[in-house]
Amino acid sequence: MSGQEFFQAGERVGVLTTQPLDRLLDYRAPEGGCYLGAYVEVPLGPRKVLGVVWGPGAGGFDSAKLRSVIRVLDVAPMRSEMRQFLGKAADYTLTPMPAMLRLATRAPGLSDPPSMRKILRRGDGVPDRMTEARTRVLEVLEEFGGLAFTPRELADMADVTPSVVKGLVKQGALREEEAPRDTPYPHLDPELPSKQLTDDQANAAAALADAVHSGRYGTTLLKGVTGSGKTEVYLEAVAAALRAGRQALVLLPEIALTAEFLTRVEARFGAKPAEWHSGATLTERRRVWKMAGQGAAQLVIGARSALFLPFRDLGLIIVDEEHDTSYKQEDGVLYNARDMAVLRAAMCSAQVVLASATPSLETWANAEAGKYKRLNLTSRFGASVLPEMRAVDMRSEDLLPATWISPTLKQAMTLRMERGEQSLLFLNRRGFAPVTICRACGAQVACDHCDARMVEHRFMKRLMCHQCGETKPVPEACPSCEVEGKMAPVGPGIERLAEEATALFPEARIAVLSSDLFGSARALKQRIEEIAAGEADIILGTQLVAKGHNFPLLTLVGVIDADLGLQGSDLRAAERTFQLMRQVAGRAGRAERPGEALMQTFQPEHPVIRAILSGDEENFWKAEAAERQAAGVPPYGRMAGIILSGPDLAAVFDLGNAMARNDGPLRQIGAQLFGPAPAPIARVRGRHRVRLLVKAAKGVPLQDAIARWIAPLRLKGDLRLSVDIDPQSFF
Ligand code: ADP
Ligand code: ZN
């Protein structure tokens, strides 16, 4: 990067645009000049596109034909650390820079001129006569001592009609002003009292605060069981950042969690922070983006893409539930927000806190290796203790056909019903039945477009493909042998389990928590609150319930099929099962009542099941780490997945084979190549998918080799190639 910080009008500048081009474009700096990093609008053919001034122009282009930047946008220029971050993230994920810039400018209306709106203040005029309504309006203004409001807000707060407000404006009792639409977020006050922390918590909080005050980069694993107060502790790290005048970012895995979280932030700092997620309105997103850039949003709570906001001075990033798989973006730019948080923090001398009850093996290994610091919260806050965990050996349980609740589990549930406590049954399978089979010929109903079985969803009376969302009615006759009336559901989904629970406990209030049963995040949140308040006896849930919700009356967790996650070829299967089971078990006994977790399994001797039951986490991780080390797989080796797809299977395989033959750049770094082979999901939406897997030692320049390997490829027709560095799942 050149040292030049400002370009005079007419000077050549190189602009990175959001358009899919593989180079910077040269323009002339506009009238008034522009700063390095300025967001600009430039002409491209007949269009105007968004870009950022990335450096001096490259020259070589006929200067007579050079066009001018149209204008500089009214937002703070991109900081050099942000440019570096985008560049490194692009190199790491093998993503073209324009795609990175799109990720960093995902706020609508950035190029709109700064929009203004009308606000009202107290004026000097005296109303000709006072009515009750008019008095209320003036009282509201008095009460908020000098604050200004929009006409709408003012009318609402005074509970009067808009015409009352208009009347007061006419009489000069209210004065109109123009104000920018995007306004700073309310001030957060770190000096408000925090909760009285336990010794354990206070020590951890102090260590994090010290780290923040150092003003240097560092990453800390904050490990503690659910309910141990990790949130309380990291809010103190946020307080430290605010005191230092720096910004903080809290990443959460799920929108449903933010409402409860916002309330806690407000209780601690006296106001709500800025929110960034897909559910936020467009106006709100633009406001967050702009205010983050001006330093007028001290704290942002957001989903993973909040990492790409243009913070002015980011001093702290919290990644809550850092092991959560939703941090890995599986579409478009394939990045892991946890890893990108560490990268970004290193660029801007910030601290990272990775919080989890069940850290990812990557993070655990980094802490073991001393790259990350580690803080432990060992006990749950207050009276709550971790539930007692037991296996229910399904080989010796007596179950009727097509039922899944064992007598042992049923008995434990009955006890909860009698005591007025809640039970939770966990089954990580949406829908009614995962398979619909023909009892005459054994054929299963599959999706027409994907390599996937159709799942019956009884609430919508249809079969659905969980890959592409295609639905169709349950067929009367078998699509394969055409025999009628023989189609039958096989295996349990959460809806079928609900049927069984209703039959066993007809008097119970049963709640089903599955993401597809709720129209909106808000509806889901409301249901969760009702359940927390005791409006259900039995809760049935999919993966959704494993995440951070607080059910004080819950004292029993029954895991219907603890073996579910142990199957499959995923290298992280054991780790995932371990995390999920621990999280689910952590739902029980959060308040004063002790909890119990029962895990139904056909293989109680399985090492993962035994590790979960014994609660010996360190041993589980050590064993898992040793296995991965021996196999040379992440985090002890590197991997990259290459997915090729296209409508014509032969063409896709031809490309894969050609790539395998020309793997010189991979061999140069000693990497191994596997495939081409059909991807685990070999067809999605009518496109065939073929996978290549690259495995390399740690520390070799993997991305560079892959870049050189794929650079000569020319993808014909409808063929697509995507590279997934550090794949999380092997789709
Ligand atoms: P985690 O993030 O580890 O799951 P939380 O921070 O959410 O734990 O704490 C669990 C519950 O205990 C919350 O309701 C929290 O307000 C409460 N809590 C934790 N520590 C304290 C404390 N020192 N004083 C009062 N309440 C606390
Ligand atoms: Zn499908």
Side-chain angles (χ1 to χ4, degrees):
M1 230 165 267
S2 91
Q4 190 174 355
E5 288 288 323
F6 187 81
F7 300 90
Q8 304 291 342
E11 258 189 281
R12 264 176 200 259
V13 291
V15 174
L16 172 69
T17 70
T18 51
Q19 303 305 301
L21 303 164
D22 58 2
R23 67 207 144 83
L24 302 183
L25 300 177
D26 275 13
Y27 291 94
R28 286 188 190 290
E31 205 171 309
C34 59
Y35 281 96
L36 181 64
Y39 291 83
V40 292
E41 201 170 62
V42 293
L44 187 67
R47 287 181 304 155
K48 294 178 187 172
V49 302
L50 180 67
V52 169
V53 175
W54 214 256
F61 184 77
D62 180 4
S63 62
K65 287 192 194 146
L66 208 57
R67 299 167 82 181
S68 256
V69 166
I70 298 171
R71 63 193 181 87
V72 176
L73 305 188
D74 183 38
V75 295
M78 188 185 281
R79 307 173 61 80
S80 76
E81 73 199 28
M82 183 71 179
R83 294 199 302 278
Q84 277 175 35
F85 169 57
L86 293 182
K88 293 215 167 185
D91 290 347
Y92 191 89
T93 57
L94 287 173
T95 304
M97 282 305 286
M100 295 309 305
L101 184 60
R102 278 199 295 280
L103 204 53
T105 51
R106 291 211 325 203
L110 275 190
S111 35
D112 297 351
S115 59
M116 305 294 279
R117 60 178 181 170
K118 226 183 277 170
I119 53 165
L120 300 174
R121 285 183 199 286
R122 184 76 166 93
D124 303 328
V126 182
D128 50 3
R129 63 191 167 81
M130 286 306 286
T131 62
E132 211 181 299
R134 286 181 167 182
T135 311
R136 275 209 302 278
V137 173
L138 298 184
E139 274 171 4
V140 165
L141 284 177
E142 200 116 311
E143 196 180 323
F144 287 88
L147 273 188
F149 297 97
T150 63
R152 175 39 136 334
E153 284 167 348
L154 195 53
D156 282 352
M157 284 180 12
D159 197 17
V160 302
T161 60
S163 62
V164 174
V165 172
K166 268 192 211 133
L168 286 169
V169 173
K170 232 182 244 152
Q171 312 235 310
L174 297 177
R175 183 157 50 84
E176 284 183 345
E177 281 175 19
E178 293 278 308
R181 193 172 293 278
D182 299 316
T183 51
Y185 284 88
H187 179 72
L188 304 184
D189 183 0
E191 307 309 339
L192 289 176
S194 65
K195 293 211 169 100
Q196 182 71 42
L197 298 184
T198 63
D199 286 351
D200 224 17
Q201 293 171 342
N203 289 337
L208 292 180
D210 281 350
V212 169
H213 281 304
S214 78
R216 286 197 301 268
Y217 159 76
T219 296
T220 306
L221 163 60
L222 176 61
K223 184 180 174 308
V225 293
T226 328
S228 58
K230 293 186 293 299
T231 311
E232 298 299 335
V233 168
Y234 73 62
L235 284 180
E236 293 317 300
V238 171
L242 300 185
R243 278 190 199 109
R246 302 186 73 185
Q247 291 167 290
L249 167 65
V250 176
L251 295 180
L252 298 172
E254 199 183 315
I255 304 176
L257 273 179
T258 54
E260 185 195 342
F261 189 79
L262 292 176
T263 314
R264 286 178 76 171
V265 170
E266 194 173 12
R268 175 64 184 81
F269 299 119
K272 288 212 166 89
E275 266 182 274
W276 175 270
H277 55 76
S278 54
T281 64
L282 300 183
T283 323
E284 204 52 26
R285 284 166 73 99
R286 190 188 58 210
R287 180 180 177 209
V288 178
W289 196 95
K290 287 195 171 172
M291 293 307 128
Q294 292 176 19
Q298 293 162 284
L299 171 61
V300 177
I301 310 300
R304 58 184 175 226
S305 60
L307 266 181
F308 295 91
L309 286 169
F311 290 97
R312 193 174 72 177
D313 184 11
L314 186 58
L316 174 68
I317 307 175
I318 313 282
V319 185
D320 201 355
E321 311 278 357
E322 67 91 30
H323 61 276
D324 198 284
T325 50
S326 70
Y327 283 123
K328 178 69 192 260
Q329 165 89 13
E330 302 275 12
D331 247 359
V333 181
L334 305 176
Y335 66 93
N336 187 317
R338 186 222 314 143
D339 301 342
M340 290 301 123
V342 171
L343 181 63
R344 174 138 202 200
M347 305 273 96
C348 63
S349 304
Q351 288 286 319
V352 179
V353 177
L354 305 175
S356 176
T358 53
S360 61
L361 191 71
E362 272 85 354
T363 296
W364 180 85
N366 277 326
E368 284 291 285
K371 278 207 246 169
Y372 297 170
K373 280 168 281 175
R374 176 169 167 172
L375 294 168
N376 297 313
L377 298 177
T378 42
S379 57
R380 282 184 152 191
F381 177 73
S384 61
V385 286
L386 262 189
E388 188 190 325
M389 287 193 255
R390 280 197 293 131
V392 176
D393 187 344
M394 296 300 275
R395 293 169 304 191
S396 52
E397 293 280 325
D398 219 359
L399 269 82
L400 290 172
T403 66
W404 291 272
I405 298 173
S406 65
T408 306
L409 180 54
K410 181 186 172 200
Q411 197 183 0
M413 293 168 73
T414 308
L415 188 65
R416 292 335 187 270
M417 291 287 295
E418 287 164 7
R419 288 200 212 136
E421 296 173 353
Q422 290 173 327
S423 308
L424 167 81
L425 300 188
F426 173 75
L427 177 64
N428 201 10
R429 258 185 183 156
R430 292 178 290 141
F432 183 81
V435 181
T436 303
I437 197 168
C438 168
R439 292 238 185 267
C441 75
Q444 300 176 358
V445 182
C447 174
D448 297 333
H449 316 286
C450 304
D451 181 25
R453 294 181 300 212
M454 300 284 272
V455 177
E456 182 177 349
H457 284 251
R458 213 153 262 202
F459 80 97
M460 57 176 195
K461 301 193 177 60
R462 289 178 85 83
L463 296 171
M464 186 197 273
C465 169
H466 284 183
Q467 282 317 316
C468 71
E470 175 85 3
T471 68
K472 58 184 169 193
V474 182
E476 267 303 309
C478 171
S480 186
C481 70
E482 295 177 4
V483 172
E484 297 214 5
K486 287 285 185 189
M487 301 309 291
V490 177
I494 198 79
E495 294 172 24
R496 196 169 194 186
L497 195 66
E499 241 179 47
E500 184 180 346
T502 311
L504 287 179
F505 300 97
E507 73 288 12
R509 294 166 303 165
I510 295 180
V512 183
L513 284 181
S514 179
S515 54
D516 53 351
L517 298 177
F518 292 86
S520 68
R522 181 191 287 141
L524 172 63
K525 190 195 134 229
Q526 184 174 349
R527 189 71 187 120
I528 287 171
E529 274 166 16
E530 289 164 9
I531 294 170
E535 287 181 25
D537 304 309
I538 299 173
I539 306 148
L540 304 174
T542 58
Q543 184 147 1
L544 197 68
V545 297
K547 304 186 182 186
H549 310 298
N550 222 328
F551 298 133
L553 292 173
L554 182 71
T555 60
L556 173 70
V557 169
V559 178
I560 296 300
D561 188 353
D563 307 331
L564 200 54
L566 297 177
Q567 307 140 6
S569 54
D570 194 333
L571 95 103
R572 292 182 173 81
E575 181 188 350
R576 292 255 168 79
T577 306
F578 182 76
Q579 287 161 345
L580 197 57
M581 295 297 122
R582 298 280 306 188
Q583 297 275 341
V584 171
R587 296 296 115 223
R590 299 237 327 161
E592 283 67 40
R593 308 159 196 243
E596 181 181 20
L598 296 179
M599 306 180 62
Q600 301 192 149
T601 172
F602 284 94
Q603 30 186 343
E605 301 84 21
H606 193 290
V608 173
I609 303 284
R610 286 192 12 204
I612 296 167
L613 295 176
S614 70
D616 190 346
E617 301 167 272
E618 294 303 320
N619 262 340
F620 170 76
W621 273 307
K622 283 197 184 114
E624 183 68 13
E627 230 161 83
R628 297 223 202 144
Q629 201 150 18
V633 295
Y636 302 98
R638 311 249 355 238
M639 279 174 120
I642 315 285
I643 293 276
L644 309 174
S645 70
D648 175 25
L649 182 61
V652 183
F653 258 105
D654 284 349
L655 174 62
N657 285 321
M659 289 176 72
R661 278 193 305 275
N662 300 305
D663 66 344
L666 300 182
R667 268 184 283 124
Q668 275 171 18
I669 59 160
Q672 280 173 284
L673 179 65
F674 301 90
I681 297 161
R683 202 160 59 109
V684 173
R685 293 188 183 89
R687 293 178 69 84
H688 295 278
R689 305 171 85 241
V690 163
R691 186 189 68 185
L692 295 139
L693 209 54
V694 183
K695 208 176 118 187
K698 226 182 153 107
V700 302
L702 177 64
Q703 281 90 338
D704 174 65
I706 292 178
R708 284 187 289 119
W709 178 42
I710 62 179
L713 297 176
R714 292 288 162 262
L715 300 183
K716 285 194 215 93
D718 208 4
L719 286 175
R720 300 266 155 70
L721 177 153
S722 78
V723 181
D724 187 359
I725 302 289
D726 313 328
Q728 283 288 315
S729 51
F730 297 104
F731 290 141

